[in-house]
Amino acid sequence: MLSASYSTRFDLRAEASPGLLPRLLQPFAKRDVTPDLFQARRAGEEMEITITCHELEPSMAALITGNLGQVIGVSRVLVTQGDQVPMPRQGAVQFG
C-alpha cells in the first residue's frame, strides 16, 4: 500500500560557499526527485534556502531531510509538510 504524498518545504540556513547549492540538490537527484521550487538568497555570511517538493512521500522527505542536515555548512533544516506549504504560481520564476 502506498502512503499519501504531501507537499514538503525544506527551509535551510548554511554558510555561503561556492559549492553549497549543488550539494543541496544532490539528495534529491540521487532519489530521482526534481524540486518544484528552489530559492536561495545570501544574508551576510549565510545563505537562506527554500526547496519545495509537491507530492513527496513522507518517508522520502525524511530521508532527504537527514541528508540535507549532513551537508557541510548547513546549520539548520526546518521541514513543513501538508496543506500549509504554499504552491508556487504557475510559470513563476523567482531570482533572489
Side-chain angles (χ1 to χ4, degrees):
M1 181 170 146
L2 292 175
S3 59
S5 296
Y6 298 97
S7 293
T8 305
R9 185 178 71 215
F10 303 89
D11 292 304
L12 301 98
R13 269 200 168 271
E15 293 176 19
S17 69
L20 173 67
L21 300 180
R23 288 195 309 265
L24 293 177
L25 288 173
Q26 206 167 32
F28 297 91
K30 73 181 186 181
R31 290 179 177 80
D32 201 29
V33 173
T34 302
D36 293 288
L37 173 71
F38 186 96
Q39 185 175 15
R41 113 181 30 191
R42 188 173 181 148
E45 296 297 313
E46 292 189 312
M47 297 289 292
E48 297 173 350
I49 303 101
T50 299
I51 306 170
T52 304
C53 295
H54 302 292
E55 300 184 12
L56 186 65
E57 292 186 19
S59 60
M60 184 75 73
L63 291 171
I64 291 171
T65 300
N67 290 146
L68 290 172
Q70 295 174 345
V71 172
I72 294 172
V74 171
S75 58
R76 181 188 77 185
V77 179
L78 297 176
V79 180
T80 307
Q81 288 185 314
D83 295 335
Q84 61 267 63
V85 176
M87 296 281 287
R89 290 190 329 256
Q90 192 75 20
V93 176
Q94 296 182 6
F95 295 97

